[in-house]
Amino acid sequence: MKLRPSSAELKSHEALAERMVERGISVRPLAKLVNRGVSTIGRLRSGTRTKCSREVAEAIAQVLNVPLDDLFRLPVVPTVPCPCADQCAGHEVAA
């Protein structure tokens, strides 16, 4: 099991805006669909905000029907083998 980073960084607010136009969805409906405030989505779209939770990034990508990494950069969390690997399924833990 890999740990999931808790934050995501928008690669390009222009790309987000373009995908929204392509899908015919404006800020208010997108905010409602991802259960976030209009100001949060508006700031991401305008570029005044560049970071959000991974959960929000995943929801935006899902609603816009694009791969997550098309719009967002996820931090790399280094992992090491679990110290109990001989007793478990060999999941990984944060370094």
Side-chain angles (χ1 to χ4, degrees), residues 5-79:
S6 61
S7 66
E9 184 176 1
L10 189 62
K11 289 181 177 180
S12 162
H13 69 276
E14 292 95 348
L16 174 60
E18 287 173 15
R19 296 308 169 278
M20 290 172 67
V21 169
E22 289 170 2
R23 303 300 187 266
I25 190 164
S26 61
V27 171
R28 190 173 302 277
L30 181 57
K32 186 173 184 173
L33 289 167
V34 301
N35 199 29
R36 288 297 179 261
V38 172
S39 63
T40 298
I41 303 304
R43 286 183 289 194
L44 285 167
R45 183 178 179 174
S46 70
T48 57
R49 180 175 182 168
T50 60
K51 293 186 180 180
C52 63
S53 71
R54 182 183 178 120
E55 175 186 7
V56 170
E58 288 174 341
I60 290 170
Q62 181 177 10
V63 167
L64 296 177
N65 196 29
V66 296
L68 180 63
D69 63 355
D70 276 8
L71 296 174
F72 294 94
R73 207 175 349 275
L74 303 174
V76 176
V77 176
T79 59

Side-chain angles (χ1 to χ4, degrees), residues 1-6 54 75-80 91-95:
M1 177 173 90
K2 297 218 181 229
L3 295 176
R4 293 170 55 121
S6 61
R54 182 183 178 120
V76 176
V77 176
T79 59
V80 295
H91 60 274
E92 295 178 334
V93 296

